[in-house]
Amino acid sequence: MYSYDKSMLDEIVNVMAEVLTVDTPYYMIERKQYPAELVRQRFREIDYGKLEAFLLEFTQRCDKISNVNAYLISVLFNAPATANMSLANMVRSDMYAE
């Protein structure tokens, strides 16, 4: 993680800590309502590899994110389920790019 901006990592950790500690009944993620406990469970599944996959994908984004907090909660919620596919896609894309 040393190659990433410390302030960006701090923001990610702050969002994760907030989700894991703030008492709320649910989170809205991609216009769907999810129980807070499910969101917390997914966040607990995030490890170094899944966070690294998110950061690699994030650094390639060029579009504007209008609500960074909601975006982070959404992608971190999905990270445990999609990190391996995202990495495989990036590798294939890099290998076969013309």
Side-chain angles (χ1 to χ4, degrees):
M1 297 286 173
Y2 296 110
S3 62
Y4 295 101
D5 183 318
K6 182 185 178 318
S7 63
M8 183 170 57
L9 291 173
D10 287 344
E11 287 180 31
I12 293 168
V13 168
N14 287 337
V15 168
M16 292 178 73
E18 181 180 321
V19 167
L20 291 169
T21 60
V22 171
D23 187 26
T24 187
Y26 65 88
Y27 284 93
M28 291 297 291
I29 298 173
E30 298 171 2
R31 298 184 189 151
K32 294 179 186 167
Q33 186 173 326
Y34 290 93
E37 191 50 44
L38 173 62
V39 177
R40 289 184 195 105
Q41 178 185 344
R42 287 270 190 93
F43 272 54
R44 287 185 206 104
E45 294 173 16
I46 296 172
D47 59 17
Y48 175 84
K50 291 173 178 61
L51 191 54
E52 181 78 15
F54 158 69
L55 289 166
L56 283 170
E57 195 167 328
F58 178 76
T59 57
Q60 295 177 354
R61 283 188 67 118
C62 296
D63 54 324
K64 184 178 179 179
I65 300 169
S66 59
N67 184 337
V68 175
N69 195 56
Y71 168 79
L72 284 173
I73 291 171
S74 176
V75 296
L76 292 171
F77 173 77
N78 288 312
T82 61
N84 293 333
M85 293 300 291
S86 292
L87 282 175
N89 180 55
M90 283 188 268
V91 168
R92 274 194 308 280
S93 176
D94 288 347
M95 286 176 55
Y96 299 109
E98 294 183 40

